[in-house]
Amino acid sequence: QVQLVESGGGLVQPGGSLRLSCVASRSIFSFNYMGWYRRAPGKERELVALIDRNGVINYADSVKGRSTISRDNAKSTVSLQMNSLKPEDTAVYYCNFRDGTDDYWGQGTQVTVSS
C-alpha cells in the first residue's frame, strides 16, 4: 500500500500562484503515471496534469501555459506549480499515482481563488 500526502493548497487572489506537492510513502520509480486531478463544486473530476515514467507530460487545455508538473525522485515527490490562477481553478486537487496494477489517491487539498 502507498500513502500519498498532498500539501500546498490554500486561498489565493486571482493572478496569484500556488505550488502543490504530493509526497509518496515509497520510491516513485515504479509508477507508470503520476498526476494531478481536481474536482470543482458541482463538476466531475478532471485531469489537470500528468507525467509518466519517461517524463512525458500532458496538461489540460484549461491550465496549459499556466501550470508546470515536475517530479523529484530523491524526495518521492510530484509537484504542480500553478500561476496566473483564476476563480475557475477553485477546486479540491488530488494527486494520483498508478503502477501496473494499482491506483493510489491522496486525500485532496483545497485551492480557492478569490478576491
Side-chain angles (χ1 to χ4, degrees):
Q1 189 70 8
V2 177
Q3 306 299 320
L4 302 179
V5 179
E6 298 126 334
S7 62
L11 173 64
V12 62
Q13 293 187 342
S17 298
L18 280 177
R19 185 176 182 84
L20 307 182
S21 294
C22 179
V23 181
S25 58
R26 66 165 171 84
S27 170
I28 63 176
F29 280 107
S30 65
F31 292 107
N32 293 326
Y33 297 96
M34 292 167 286
W36 287 92
Y37 291 74
R38 67 186 181 188
R39 187 192 301 272
K43 295 188 176 181
E44 296 291 318
R45 185 175 63 199
E46 64 174 355
L47 174 69
V48 178
L50 191 68
I51 183 168
D52 74 10
R53 65 186 307 162
N54 297 315
V56 177
I57 293 172
N58 285 287
Y59 296 102
D61 288 342
S62 58
V63 304
K64 199 172 293 182
R66 301 188 294 120
S67 298
T68 303
I69 188 171
S70 60
R71 60 189 292 176
D72 185 333
N73 294 332
K75 296 181 179 180
S76 298
T77 298
V78 173
S79 299
L80 180 69
Q81 176 69 40
M82 298 189 295
N83 302 319
S84 301
L85 284 161
K86 306 174 181 179
E88 50 263 43
D89 294 317
T90 295
V92 179
Y93 285 70
Y94 301 89
C95 62
N96 170 253
F97 288 13
R98 283 177 277 161
D99 61 20
T101 56
D102 294 303
D103 197 11
Y104 303 98
W105 292 89
Q107 80 285 357
T109 185
Q110 176 71 46
V111 171
T112 302
V113 184
S114 175
S115 55

